[in-house]
Amino acid sequence: MEAVISENVSIYYGNYEAVKGLTFKLHEGETLLLMGPNGAGKTTLLRTLAGFHKEYTGKLSIFGKPPHESKDLISYVPQSHYLNERVPLTVLEVVAMGQIYKKSFVHFKIPKEILKSAEEALSFVGLESIKDKLFKELSGGQKQRVLLARALISNPKLLLLDEPLSALDPSARAEVAGILNKIKKERGITMIITTHDVNPLTEIGDKVMLLNRELIAFGTPPEVLRDEIISRVYGSLSKAVRVGDKLYCIIGDVHIHRGERK
């Protein structure tokens, strides 16, 4: 079954065309890695798929419904978490918010069944032992894993992740990438992940989209991550290199083996 269908979709901010004529299909259970330079329209596309941005033409379908009718099927994790850390929320409370907001419960009256679901989601991302710790006290990698747990608590069919590995150190990136791999293998959730560094994620990516306000390429990682394609967006020094059975992409200042920005 098609999880996402985009047919000649153009996305606007007033008279400004942020994304032009985008056509692609993503099947249920597939993971799409969405690449492109700053300003390419990646976040705009995610927000439109999530139903937050409604200025578009063409056809968008999420499991057979338009985005604004599909919100119960979608969890969206933005690049910035927007949580007011002056409010002393525990890790468990942050995860529970993933269901509280959808069910319109008041925060201080969290039902026991939601707390139980929150604990199960934390267990899935390996953080059940810190459920009572304050969210603001966590490391960047722990916060990202908590936000993944919050996204998973509502059992979405489509997970939209905006730069989930950004601003993380190499160890934390590996941990979060491992959780994304676990989500794919054990939950089978369709995912669209924007990323500037595709290297930690190529093993879970079924499809790669290269976007620069319009579709540059869409296909499997070996089909898209080729010198002649990525150089059209990132310049002539960008290269794709295969080491054994792994495919690496050198874009700008991304290191081939560890994906570290210098």
Side-chain angles (χ1 to χ4, degrees):
M1 178 181 181
E2 276 89 14
V4 180
I5 298 175
S6 174
E7 295 180 358
N8 196 31
V9 169
S10 295
I11 307 173
Y12 298 87
Y13 291 96
N15 294 325
Y16 175 71
E17 189 176 41
V19 175
K20 178 181 179 181
L22 184 61
T23 296
F24 73 97
K25 291 182 180 179
L26 189 65
H27 296 289
E28 184 172 7
E30 288 187 326
T31 296
L32 170 63
L33 306 180
L34 179 55
M35 300 174 59
N38 290 331
K42 303 185 300 296
T43 297
T44 292
L45 176 57
L46 284 196
R47 287 180 54 80
T48 304
L49 289 169
F52 299 135
H53 187 79
K54 300 179 175 64
E55 291 184 66
Y56 69 89
T57 59
K59 177 185 176 182
L60 268 182
S61 173
I62 310 295
F63 290 98
K65 300 179 181 179
H68 68 276
E69 295 179 7
S70 306
K71 291 185 178 180
D72 287 345
L73 306 176
I74 300 169
S75 281
Y76 172 59
V77 181
Q79 186 171 355
S80 300
H81 60 70
Y82 299 116
L83 289 173
N84 184 350
E85 295 193 357
R86 289 178 294 182
V87 179
L89 291 172
T90 67
V91 167
L92 190 64
E93 288 170 332
V94 170
V95 176
M97 287 165 59
Q99 279 196 350
I100 291 169
Y101 287 163
K102 289 193 175 183
K103 295 180 180 292
S104 300
F105 285 119
V106 178
H107 159 241
F108 54 83
K109 294 182 179 178
I110 304 175
K112 290 182 179 180
E113 63 269 20
I114 290 184
L115 290 175
K116 181 180 178 182
S117 295
E119 289 180 353
E120 291 171 352
L122 279 172
S123 177
F124 184 84
V125 301
L127 294 178
E128 66 275 18
S129 64
I130 63 168
K131 67 179 183 179
D132 296 320
K133 194 170 184 178
L134 292 180
F135 180 79
K136 67 181 181 180
E137 297 175 350
L138 305 186
S139 67
Q142 288 175 324
K143 287 180 178 178
Q144 192 62 52
R145 289 158 67 189
V146 169
L147 295 177
L148 285 175
R150 184 178 69 167
L152 292 173
I153 193 176
S154 61
N155 294 314
K157 296 187 69 174
L158 175 63
L159 191 55
L160 304 174
L161 304 167
D162 197 2
E163 293 286 352
L165 306 184
S166 67
L168 300 180
D169 62 38
S171 176
R173 279 205 299 269
E175 289 179 351
V176 173
I179 296 299
L180 296 176
N181 189 28
K182 186 178 179 182
I183 291 171
K184 179 179 179 63
K185 289 183 175 180
E186 298 185 17
R187 296 288 186 92
I189 298 173
T190 309
M191 292 188 284
I192 300 180
I193 306 171
T194 72
T195 181
H196 278 93
D197 183 5
V198 73
N199 293 329
L201 299 172
T202 51
E203 292 185 30
I204 69 169
D206 301 291
K207 298 289 173 54
V208 175
M209 179 187 295
L210 189 54
L211 184 69
N212 194 8
R213 296 186 57 192
E214 62 183 358
L215 186 65
I216 304 300
F218 176 81
T220 64
E223 290 171 340
V224 174
L225 300 180
R226 303 192 337 245
D227 294 356
E228 63 271 24
I229 294 178
I230 60 176
S231 63
R232 290 168 57 188
V233 172
Y234 295 104
S236 60
L237 296 180
S238 302
K239 295 192 177 297
V241 180
R242 185 177 290 278
V243 180
D245 60 350
K246 294 185 178 181
L247 186 63
Y248 295 89
C249 193
I250 308 172
I251 297 172
D253 56 356
V254 177
H255 190 277
I256 177 173
H257 293 301
R258 296 180 62 192
E260 292 180 351
R261 297 192 179 276
K262 301 295 185 182

